[in-house]
Amino acid sequence: MAERKNFPEALSQPPYQNGTNGVSAAPPPLDQEGGEVTLHEVVEILFKNKWIILACFVLVLSGVALYTLQQDREYQASTTILVNSPGSSSQLDLYDGGASVPRGMANEIEIIKSRRIAMRVAERLLDIENIPGTDQRFTLLGQAEALPTQLQVAQRLQGHMQVRPVSSDVDIIRLTVQSNVPTEAALLANLYAQEFVEYNRTTSRSQASASKDFLSEITSSFEEELENAENDLTSFLSQQSVINPQAEASQLITKTSSLQEQQYQTQLEMGMVQAELRALEDQMEEVVPGLTRQLSAGDNQAIEALTQQITQIELVIEQKIARNPELRENPELDRDLVRLRAEQAQYQERANERIQAMVSDVLASGDLVVLGGTGEETMQGRLSNLANLRQQIMAKNVQLRGLEGRMDLYGVRLQEYESELSTIPQKDIILNRLQRSLTTREQLYMQLIQKLQEARVAEQSELGYADIVDEALVPRRPVSPNIQLNLILGAIIGLMVGLGLAFVRNAFDNKVRKPEDLRRRGYNVIGIVPDMERVIKQDFKGQDRVDIEGQNYSTRLISLLNPLSPVAEGYRRLRTNIQFSQPDKESRVIMISSANPSEGKTVTALNLAVTMAQAGRRTLYIDADLRRPEGHRLMGIGRDPGLVDLLFDSVPESVEQFTTNVDSYLYMLPAGRDVPNPAEVLGSRKMQKFLAHWRQEFDVIVVDTPPILVVSDALILASLCDTAVLVCAAGDTNWQAIERSAESLQSVGTDILGILLNRFDLKAAYGGYKYGYGYGYEYSYYNNYYYGGKQR
């Protein structure tokens, strides 16, 4: 028996080895050169999975298009508002995505977004109810018979509105409202802008309105007092006969009258200050409920001491001005007065710092809730406004205490004048008092009328610091859904999903599909046979069998029936590779097997035997698959007599009974009759003697064995053969089957010449993508079908 060797070098030295010559069952790396995927391989994957990619692309794009078309159209309308707030010069760190926005702008944006403005707009919507010019109700009001509450409408409004500054360089706010009715979107945007401007105007007029209301009330009261004074004087003159007072008394009465006039003016000023103070406290209460009470209770000793110092200085200043009224208009005439004003300003600055810290501490305690928004930027803006309001309240309190001190001085002086007037005759005194009272009230009434008119003018002239720049127009095109953008995204997502599935499918594909797959894992590709289905369809009209010269053959015997076809050329290349694969060794007995059934081993074995005979070599084909023999059917002959019959009988001296019509060199030995124990028959001494005998009679013996992984018959025969060729079907055989088959043959010491890639389809392997190089004549089928043109 010939010496047994291990795998040839190309097969026995794969990239992943276990020991010196053995091949591990674990799959070696994908690429011998480092596992990197080349551009050609990527293109191959894309071409192979082009229909999957196209299907994913079409499905995702169609789904996105259908979803987009089913969505309600959304329209946006925008209006711009100019805000000239005093606080717009100081900068916040960041607002709305990183843009630097003035603090005043940040506060106004939060006011627009607040529930207060939304409630005002909701009230107007509930009054209007239907979109102007139509019978359609506002979509925010719903279609139910009962209208929603004002709070519910306000909450819906806040979800359909966006506010942001136009840029960090201008004090303009863009207010955008979204709705699925274009007219409604424009109307809501304009209503929002109008309500904000009106709220801004109302807030700006709060102090002026408080002063006007107070002056109006006081004027009505003084009008009654003036009428009473006139009646008292008329009644006294009609009842008493009074002479003119003395010059001293007249002068004293004039001073008293002047002082009373100043006292009345001070009372009037105190009333206005108190009204403005209440308005400021109400504003603070709107922002943070309970903060005014909290700050009043939390004034520490330092702030109280500073307030007393400021008040004392104010009283000293009032005393100086009372002695010299000209200093009120020209304070620079008195150095002490200038110094006192400077000291008062220093104390005021220190008090402001204390107030800033106190407001921050009270808010940080968490006991109070800031209305109108959250966030670091919003809290900074609120803190600044609260501190400013608190400083104004403190200033009003100091002013009020100064006025109270002035009233005390006026009271003391009036008592002195009254004491001096007590020495004047009683009738003259009464007359002078009545005249003085009437004159004083007339003067005060005229001053009140003048101040009331000024307050009314001031209130009406206070237009706020917000104004609408551009009103919202009815939009013509919807902003959502963005059909073009959605389709582009759908196309991108569809391609990504398709590409992902293509690469995942390729990663989980464990089938052998092309020669490179075998070579990368270190296996020797001894031959490539194209898929013969197309040849059978074109040359034999798809028939399974044909009759030639009275003999019925299977159309799969391409080497015999169509020797010029690319499939026959593949078998001839296999024959050539076998002949020259081992130049130092003659392999006469060649085993042809596969890992699993239906991979083309019998067709390969018989076509190889035909090509060997066509080359002038005396060839014997043995169908050793005793369980499912197919060789005799391909040749159109009977199953017996065959191998089993010869093993149980004596070896015939002549083999002419096994000749075929393929020249005079091909002999075919079918399987023979059925046996219950094929493995024992094939492993018997008779089988060994049989092969040893016929080895001397033939140049080549091709042994067709059962699949290696199905039964042990192939391994038994492998030990009796010189070499083996393993057949794998492209697209059907997996790596595990090839590796297990190779290990099994190696375990019995059989040399494997290589692996034949059967049923190879170029389009299926590469997806229609072709390299600049080819694999030889086995691919000519896809280009020219025959080298010299299609056979006629």
Side-chain angles (χ1 to χ4, degrees):
M1 186 178 298
E3 181 183 359
R4 304 293 175 228
K5 295 185 179 180
N6 290 329
F7 290 82
E9 182 177 359
L11 183 64
S12 60
Q13 299 296 328
Y16 186 86
Q17 296 183 353
N18 183 14
T20 56
N21 294 323
V23 180
S24 171
L30 182 63
D31 191 356
Q32 286 182 316
E33 297 181 356
E36 297 181 357
V37 179
T38 64
L39 179 60
H40 285 301
E41 293 170 340
V42 172
V43 176
E44 286 178 16
I45 294 173
L46 298 182
F47 270 91
K48 284 172 57 178
N49 298 277
K50 58 182 179 292
W51 296 115
I52 293 179
I53 298 174
L54 181 60
C56 292
F57 174 80
V58 172
L59 288 176
V60 174
L61 184 60
S62 302
V64 171
L66 183 61
Y67 173 80
T68 301
L69 295 176
Q70 290 179 344
Q71 293 299 304
D72 294 333
R73 299 295 183 264
E74 293 290 337
Y75 297 85
Q76 278 187 354
S78 298
T79 180
T80 52
I81 304 171
L82 175 64
V83 179
N84 290 318
S85 61
S88 61
S89 58
S90 58
Q91 301 292 316
L92 286 176
D93 294 334
L94 291 174
Y95 181 85
D96 195 23
S100 179
V101 177
R103 175 178 300 167
M105 290 283 287
N107 292 336
E108 302 306 325
I109 288 174
E110 292 301 324
I111 291 175
I112 296 175
K113 294 163 62 177
S114 66
R115 186 172 63 251
R116 182 183 300 274
I117 304 298
M119 292 286 286
R120 294 166 67 103
V121 178
E123 183 179 3
R124 293 190 61 179
L125 286 182
L126 290 172
D127 291 339
I128 301 173
E129 188 173 344
N130 292 334
I131 300 175
T134 66
D135 295 333
Q136 181 182 359
R137 182 186 289 182
F138 286 105
T139 58
L140 292 175
L141 301 182
Q143 301 301 321
E145 182 176 356
L147 291 174
T149 63
Q150 185 177 354
L151 179 59
Q152 291 175 336
V153 177
Q155 292 173 345
R156 296 173 187 176
L157 279 168
Q158 289 177 312
H160 289 74
M161 180 263 302
Q162 295 179 353
V163 186
R164 62 182 64 245
V166 174
S167 70
S168 59
D169 300 328
V170 295
D171 296 336
I172 297 179
I173 296 173
R174 175 174 285 109
L175 190 154
T176 303
V177 176
Q178 186 167 317
S179 173
N180 54 13
V181 179
T183 307
E184 181 180 12
L187 180 62
L188 290 178
N190 290 328
L191 286 179
Y192 243 109
Q194 293 169 9
E195 289 301 323
F196 168 68
V197 171
E198 182 62 28
Y199 172 80
N200 177 268
R201 184 180 293 117
T202 302
T203 304
S204 300
R205 290 178 176 177
S206 59
Q207 295 187 28
S209 298
S211 299
K212 183 205 70 174
D213 295 340
F214 173 75
L215 288 173
S216 179
E217 181 180 354
I218 294 298
T219 301
S220 299
S221 176
F222 263 78
E223 187 174 0
E224 294 179 2
E225 292 182 8
L226 179 61
E227 184 178 355
N228 293 333
E230 290 177 348
N231 293 333
D232 291 343
L233 179 60
T234 302
S235 176
F236 181 79
L237 291 176
S238 64
Q239 296 177 4
Q240 301 291 335
S241 176
V242 182
I243 60 174
N244 290 330
Q246 301 177 357
E248 181 181 357
S250 178
Q251 182 179 7
L252 187 60
I253 290 174
T254 300
K255 290 182 179 179
T256 303
S257 177
S258 175
L259 189 61
Q260 285 180 340
E261 181 180 351
Q262 294 180 13
Q263 188 180 40
Y264 279 123
Q265 290 180 351
T266 302
Q267 286 180 343
L268 178 63
E269 189 174 353
M270 285 177 60
M272 294 176 64
V273 170
Q274 289 173 348
E276 293 175 357
L277 181 60
R278 287 193 296 270
L280 291 171
E281 291 176 347
D282 291 341
Q283 289 185 33
M284 181 177 289
E285 195 70 16
E286 288 180 0
V287 179
V288 183
L291 180 61
T292 304
R293 183 178 62 259
Q294 188 84 349
L295 291 177
S296 299
D299 287 344
N300 56 26
Q301 296 180 357
I303 295 179
E304 184 64 27
L306 290 171
T307 306
Q308 291 178 2
Q309 290 287 344
I310 295 171
T311 304
Q312 291 176 2
I313 294 175
E314 184 69 21
L315 292 176
V316 174
I317 292 174
E318 290 295 336
Q319 290 176 359
K320 283 182 171 291
I321 294 176
R323 289 192 296 267
N324 186 5
E326 294 183 359
L327 295 179
R328 188 175 301 278
E329 301 294 334
N330 301 302
E332 66 276 1
L333 298 178
D334 192 327
R335 293 183 179 179
D336 289 340
L337 186 60
V338 174
R339 177 182 56 79
L340 289 173
R341 290 291 189 192
E343 290 181 2
Q344 189 182 39
Q346 292 178 358
Y347 286 127
Q348 185 66 50
E349 184 177 358
R350 292 168 58 187
N352 291 341
E353 295 176 356
R354 293 279 186 176
I355 290 172
Q356 182 80 22
M358 176 173 291
V359 172
S360 179
D361 292 341
V362 171
L363 292 178
S365 65
D367 297 332
L368 300 175
V369 179
V370 180
L371 299 180
T374 59
E376 182 179 354
E377 296 82 5
T378 304
M379 289 302 298
Q380 289 181 1
R382 296 295 181 194
L383 180 61
S384 175
N385 285 344
L386 292 174
N388 185 34
L389 289 173
R390 179 56 181 162
Q391 291 167 8
Q392 294 183 44
I393 291 173
M394 179 181 176
K396 293 297 180 183
N397 283 324
V398 171
Q399 185 180 0
L400 186 60
R401 292 183 184 182
L403 293 174
E404 291 173 352
R406 191 189 304 175
M407 287 293 294
D408 293 340
L409 291 176
Y410 290 156
V412 173
R413 296 291 298 275
L414 283 175
Q415 288 179 1
E416 294 176 357
Y417 291 156
E418 292 291 340
S419 177
E420 293 178 9
L421 285 173
S422 63
T423 60
I424 301 175
Q426 190 66 26
K427 289 184 179 181
D428 293 340
I429 292 174
I430 294 174
L431 177 60
N432 280 285
R433 283 180 178 175
L434 292 174
Q435 291 176 343
R436 178 192 63 193
S437 176
L438 178 60
T439 302
T440 301
R441 281 169 171 75
E442 287 178 347
Q443 294 176 352
L444 288 175
Y445 181 75
M446 296 305 298
Q447 292 178 2
L448 284 173
I449 292 296
Q450 182 179 358
K451 288 184 177 293
L452 179 59
Q453 294 298 328
E454 292 176 353
R456 288 174 177 171
V457 172
E459 181 187 26
Q460 295 300 320
S461 62
E462 182 60 62
L463 301 178
Y465 50 83
D467 192 17
I468 298 175
V469 178
D470 288 323
E471 290 188 347
L473 300 177
V474 177
R476 296 183 178 180
R477 297 180 179 179
V479 297
S480 175
N482 190 331
I483 298 177
Q484 183 177 3
L485 178 61
N486 288 357
L487 291 180
I488 292 175
L489 293 177
I492 294 174
I493 295 174
L495 285 176
M496 293 177 63
V497 171
L499 293 174
L501 288 178
F503 283 101
V504 169
R505 180 171 177 263
N506 183 76
F508 284 94
D509 186 10
N510 64 345
K511 304 292 185 180
V512 179
R513 299 190 181 275
K514 53 184 181 294
E516 290 89 342
D517 296 341
L518 294 166
R519 291 180 180 133
R520 284 180 189 145
R521 295 187 176 245
Y523 296 114
N524 178 37
V525 181
I526 197 169
I528 302 172
V529 176
D531 189 7
M532 61 179 66
E533 294 298 330
R534 190 178 300 179
V535 177
I536 295 174
K537 182 177 180 180
Q538 292 183 357
D539 290 352
F540 305 106
K541 298 181 180 181
Q543 299 179 20
D544 291 334
R545 309 189 69 83
V546 294
D547 292 327
I548 298 179
E549 297 179 356
Q551 182 73 31
N552 186 262
Y553 295 100
S554 171
T555 53
R556 297 188 178 278
L557 290 176
I558 296 295
S559 299
L560 176 64
L561 301 179
N562 193 352
L564 296 180
S565 67
V567 179
E569 180 62 29
Y571 289 119
R572 285 192 292 271
R573 276 179 166 266
L574 173 62
R575 177 194 67 191
T576 304
N577 291 336
I578 291 175
Q579 291 175 352
F580 295 98
S581 60
Q582 294 177 316
D584 297 332
K585 174 188 174 183
E586 182 181 7
S587 298
R588 289 195 174 186
V589 182
I590 303 172
M591 169 183 164
I592 305 297
S593 187
S594 62
N596 295 300
S598 303
E599 293 183 348
K601 63 175 183 57
T602 300
V603 174
T604 299
L606 198 51
N607 277 284
L608 175 61
V610 171
T611 57
M612 289 287 188
Q614 290 173 345
R617 305 187 68 183
R618 200 160 182 260
T619 305
L620 173 62
Y621 167 81
I622 300 178
D623 190 352
D625 189 352
L626 304 183
R627 302 174 188 268
R628 295 179 57 185
E630 293 291 336
H632 65 284
R633 292 177 180 167
L634 295 178
M635 287 294 293
I637 62 176
R639 177 173 176 173
D640 51 13
L643 177 61
V644 175
D645 302 284
L646 294 182
L647 291 178
F648 283 94
D649 298 333
S650 60
V651 179
E653 297 180 357
S654 174
V655 293
E656 295 303 324
Q657 58 176 322
F658 300 114
T659 59
T660 64
N661 296 330
V662 184
D663 298 328
S664 58
Y665 296 99
L666 178 61
Y667 295 80
M668 180 176 179
L669 182 61
R673 63 178 183 267
D674 290 331
V675 291
N677 52 349
E680 287 75 6
V681 171
L682 295 176
S684 63
R685 290 184 176 273
K686 286 188 177 182
M687 185 65 184
Q688 296 178 13
K689 292 180 180 181
F690 175 83
L691 285 178
H693 173 78
W694 293 111
R695 180 190 296 269
Q696 307 301 323
E697 299 293 332
F698 291 94
D699 297 326
V700 178
I701 298 177
V702 179
V703 182
D704 180 12
T705 69
I708 297 173
L709 300 182
V710 177
V711 292
S712 61
D713 302 5
L715 297 180
I716 295 173
L717 290 172
S719 62
L720 305 178
C721 299
D722 297 334
T723 188
V725 173
L726 189 61
V727 178
C728 71
D732 291 330
T733 308
N734 58 54
W735 289 111
Q736 292 78 6
I738 292 178
E739 290 165 358
R740 290 173 56 192
S741 299
E743 288 180 352
S744 299
L745 292 175
Q746 184 187 21
S747 66
V748 297
T750 302
D751 290 339
I752 301 180
L753 289 179
I755 298 178
L756 173 71
L757 186 60
N758 191 32
R759 302 172 188 166
F760 177 66
D761 189 343
L762 185 65
K763 289 186 177 180
Y766 299 102
Y769 174 74
K770 300 179 183 179
Y771 285 109
Y773 59 89
Y775 291 97
Y777 288 104
E778 64 266 27
Y779 292 169
S780 63
Y781 168 73
Y782 297 100
N783 298 324
N784 217 10
Y785 187 50
Y786 296 111
Y787 181 74
K790 183 175 179 180
Q791 185 181 11
R792 301 295 181 184

